[in-house]
């Protein structure tokens, strides 16, 4: 078997394609690496959050980031 490999991906969480599929992409990459013979591949994400704007003009972007991080928290729990 092959040793672990680390794969990195960066995306923004303010809304759009990256925030909607970053978890699916990570699970897919991990599964593909396992099929290729890597025992325990590390998939690392660099996630960008929108700046906090006190004027309340970016509430959708902050809501999208919160939802994405909530999903990440849920799927990161063991079991």
């Amino acid at each position: 078997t092959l040793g672990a490999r680390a794969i990195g991906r960066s995306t923004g969480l303010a809304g759009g394609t990256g925030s909607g599929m970053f978890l699916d992409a990570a699970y897919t990459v991990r599964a593909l690496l396992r099929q290729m013979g890597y025992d325990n591949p590390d998939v690392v994400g660099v996630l960008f959050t929108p700046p906090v704007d006190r004027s309340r003009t970016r509430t959708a972007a902050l809501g999208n980031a919160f939802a994405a991080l909530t999903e990440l928290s849920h799927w990161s729990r063991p079991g």
Side-chain angles (χ1 to χ4, degrees):
T1 60
L2 301 172
R5 292 283 186 240
I7 301 292
R9 175 155 176 11
S10 63
T11 190
L13 299 181
T17 305
S19 66
M21 64 178 272
F22 77 99
L23 285 173
D24 297 323
Y27 277 103
T28 300
V29 168
R30 181 177 287 158
L32 290 171
L33 287 170
R34 285 184 177 152
Q35 287 177 5
M36 293 169 56
Y38 294 98
D39 290 333
N40 191 17
D42 288 324
V43 179
V44 178
V46 177
L47 309 173
F48 299 99
T49 58
V52 175
D53 182 2
R54 302 280 183 215
S55 67
R56 299 181 185 255
T57 59
R58 296 186 48 114
T59 56
L62 292 174
N64 289 337
F66 179 79
L69 292 172
T70 301
E71 251 185 85
L72 177 63
S73 174
H74 172 78
W75 291 109
S76 296
R77 291 186 195 126

